[in-house]
Amino acid sequence: MAYVLSQLHRTGLPPLLQGVETEEEWGRKREGIRRTWLEYIGELPDRAPVRMDTLAKCLQPDHTRLQVVYDTAYGDQVTAYLLLPDERTFPRPEGGYPAMLALHPTHELGKDDIATSAGRKNRMYALELVRLGYVVLVPDALTAGERVYPEHPAFHSGPFYERHPEWSTVAKNATDHMQGLDVLCSLDFVDANAIGAIGHSFGGYNAYFLAGLDDRVKAVVSSCGFSPFAGDPHPDHWGYRDYPYTHIPKISADLAEDRVPFDFHEIAALCAPTPFFNYAGQADAIFPHWKSVAEGMFELSKLYRWLGHEHRFRSYVGAGAHDFPEEIRGLAYAFLDRWVKGKPGVKE
């Protein structure tokens, strides 16, 4: 599976179901996509046994915020907030609370950008979700928040690659986020069968990357995080960069020869049939190729329909910028309520 990038720019994304007539054939194609993805991002190592320490507790008017740290692979630790709903408003359900793994965008504040009042406008989705009755785990990604390398700016991945030259930050993030799912599943007040993932931008693609690798994610929301190679004026941002942040070093050699081993609608397809909500903006200056984004989402919609789960997929394109506007967040939360909380709504 490989594509000529300049041809993708001309002809658009390859159909997901091309040459596929049966679910068995789709299963084989899906497994091939997964193998190629892991070949490029690197291993998903054995995760550390669950161990979380609470460092501080902060009582807010409508929720409790715990500052926590938990172990992850290769002796590393993840700093995070664990947001707990107010039990007066949301008594603990018999099976435990629904939970969300909320992933932050590219910002030096990391978790604070989405989980505290210090966050930016239209970014405080972790804070809004705990106010809707979810337990929300909000980790710092490596290079952000409390995990910025000493004497380096935020989102400088150089020290990571000095230690792990054959790995990628994409696989590192996926590993850390799987560890976050392990933590949520270990909590006796969380329903381990009702966990979703949400993110904007950097957090958006990390959310659907995770959902494609771990079926414990029962629904995923990605805002301005889907960016196919086709039509992208800057596809090299996925490859090696001396500064600030390198996603997939191995892809650089392919890009230099005008080829790519996959496109990202195929990586997103690894999520199917997990409920998937996507938003994109036509005035997005970071991912400006909205027509390719929409084409990729249309391919995903056809896949979900072919699998018999068309109601599990929602895609919206707005006229706005690289943002997560209030009206879209409202639609996203209703989607999560349906597929994570199991509230009545759209029927199968």
Side-chain angles (χ1 to χ4, degrees), residues 209-223:
F209 290 169
L210 173 66
L213 294 168
D214 195 319
D215 60 10
R216 290 178 296 176
V217 177
K218 302 307 179 187
V220 60
V221 169
S222 176
S223 166

Side-chain angles (χ1 to χ4, degrees), residues 53-290:
D53 294 323
T54 300
L55 306 180
K57 181 177 182 179
C58 184
L59 297 177
Q60 300 293 308
D62 52 13
H63 69 283
T64 299
R65 183 176 71 235
L66 304 180
Q67 184 179 359
V68 302
V69 61
Y70 50 88
D71 292 344
T72 189
Y74 298 137
D76 196 9
Q77 290 190 312
V78 177
T79 51
Y81 289 139
L82 184 64
L83 308 182
L84 308 178
D86 187 334
E87 292 191 20
R88 295 167 300 179
T89 305
F90 299 99
R92 176 176 170 176
E94 184 176 345
Y97 287 102
M100 293 297 302
L101 187 66
L103 307 179
H104 64 75
T106 306
H107 195 279
E108 61 184 8
L109 286 176
K111 61 187 181 299
D112 285 77
D113 192 36
I114 64 172
T116 74
S117 58
R120 294 169 294 164
K121 181 182 178 182
N122 293 336
R123 299 295 186 273
M124 292 176 278
Y125 41 90
L127 193 57
E128 291 171 341
L129 284 162
V130 72
R131 291 169 175 167
L132 293 174
Y134 291 89
V135 169
V136 188
L137 183 64
V138 195
D140 282 323
L142 186 66
T143 72
E146 297 180 83
R147 300 179 74 195
V148 176
Y149 285 108
E151 301 181 0
H152 287 82
F155 287 90
H156 193 293
S157 58
F160 168 80
Y161 286 107
E162 290 174 8
R163 182 178 179 186
H164 301 286
E166 303 302 320
W167 211 17
S168 75
T169 56
V170 169
K172 165 61 171 168
N173 290 328
T175 300
D176 289 353
H177 298 333
M178 289 180 182
Q179 197 82 50
L181 296 178
D182 292 344
V183 168
L184 285 172
C185 289
S186 75
L187 301 174
D188 61 5
F189 53 84
V190 165
D191 182 349
N193 294 310
I195 300 175
I198 187 172
H200 171 73
S201 189
F202 175 79
Y205 53 78
N206 278 301
Y208 85 75
F209 290 169
L210 173 66
L213 294 168
D214 195 319
D215 60 10
R216 290 178 296 176
V217 177
K218 302 307 179 187
V220 60
V221 169
S222 176
S223 166
C224 296
F226 179 71
S227 175
F229 286 119
D232 190 344
H234 304 292
D236 53 312
H237 73 85
W238 288 109
Y240 174 78
R241 294 186 291 180
D242 184 54
Y243 177 78
Y245 194 86
T246 293
H247 289 86
I248 310 172
K250 192 172 181 178
I251 206 75
S252 292
D254 294 77
L255 291 170
E257 298 184 4
D258 191 33
R259 69 173 189 264
V260 289
F262 54 79
D263 212 332
F264 282 97
H265 68 314
E266 294 170 329
I267 307 307
L270 296 176
C271 299
T274 298
F276 193 127
F277 179 106
N278 191 78
Y279 171 70
Q282 291 173 305
D284 188 331
I286 297 175
F287 299 143
H289 50 311
W290 65 269

